[in-house]
Amino acid sequence: MLAAILAGIKIASQVAALGIQVAPYLVKLYDYYSQPGGPTDAQLAELTAMEDEMDARLQAAQPADQ
Amino acid sequence: MRSRFAVIALLPLLGGCQTAFQVATYNGANPITPAMVTNVRLAYDAIEPLAIAYIQLPLCSAKHPVACSQASVSGQIKAANPVARAALRRLDTFVRTNPTVNAVSLFNEAVADINIVKAYVPAAASVPVPAPAV
């Protein structure tokens, strides 16, 4: 369990260092799935839209200038 | 920012609590719980920004021998991303609409597809991906 916590801190640190605002998304994801009955349709649509945005960023990503 | 780190760090613990609760109320028909689906989505959503960062590194060359990306690897990541996302969504939809039907094969498919992306991203090596279910 300690290893998982340390891994979580390391991941969050790396993501924060990249300047990518993914942490609020992860918190929302967890909150929505933790509530009784899981996410509502509206919440699921919100999460899906955020994931779609991240997927689009990945597909559009290009190497930095040489 | 420290509080965000704390929240992320606590996610595995909270997930464990949720899993324990669901095991106690689980009817035994489906070994894949909603908490397991959440954990696998969290894993991929932690890997994806690291994949983006990798692609955005300068291409490997004599000028950039380290902290660089290879075009072929970036291409593999871009090809594997929609496959992993589709597998995650199939799993999520199935478990929400068929909570008592065994979803092990879909879960394992999602885990395998996520691990393909993870294998291409050096910085994602420490991201914990759930093990396949049996």
Side-chain angles (χ1 to χ4, degrees), chain B residues 8-57:
Chain B
I8 297 297
L10 289 174
L11 287 177
L13 278 176
L14 295 171
C17 295
Q18 187 186 32
T19 302
F21 173 76
Q22 287 175 340
V23 166
T25 59
Y26 174 55
N27 65 9
N30 187 359
I32 306 301
T33 65
M36 293 168 73
V37 176
T38 305
N39 287 341
V40 79
R41 282 185 73 162
L42 283 170
Y44 191 63
D45 290 328
I47 290 169
E48 196 170 20
L50 301 174
I52 294 171
Y54 173 84
I55 295 170
Q56 291 176 332
L57 290 171

Side-chain angles (χ1 to χ4, degrees), chain B residues 45-134:
Chain B
D45 290 328
I47 290 169
E48 196 170 20
L50 301 174
I52 294 171
Y54 173 84
I55 295 170
Q56 291 176 332
L57 290 171
L59 289 175
C60 293
S61 64
K63 185 179 175 185
H64 296 286
V66 295
C68 60
S69 65
Q70 296 185 16
S72 60
V73 174
S74 295
Q76 296 284 5
I77 292 170
K78 288 186 178 184
N81 172 62
V83 177
R85 182 64 73 198
L88 278 170
R89 292 202 170 146
R90 276 196 301 274
L91 170 66
D92 183 74
T93 301
F94 187 88
V95 170
R96 281 187 298 105
T97 55
N98 306 282
T100 61
V101 180
N102 191 318
V104 165
S105 62
L106 286 174
F107 181 84
N108 289 348
E109 180 185 344
V111 168
D113 289 340
I114 289 171
N115 277 322
I116 288 172
V117 177
K118 177 182 173 180
Y120 287 122
V121 184
S126 62
V127 176
V129 174
V134 291

Side-chain angles (χ1 to χ4, degrees), chain A residues 33-55:
Chain A
Y33 274 83
S34 297
Q35 64 195 17
T40 65
D41 287 346
Q43 290 169 337
L44 200 63
E46 181 186 1
L47 292 173
T48 300
M50 295 174 84
E51 286 177 343
D52 286 346
E53 182 184 344
M54 193 69 79
D55 289 344

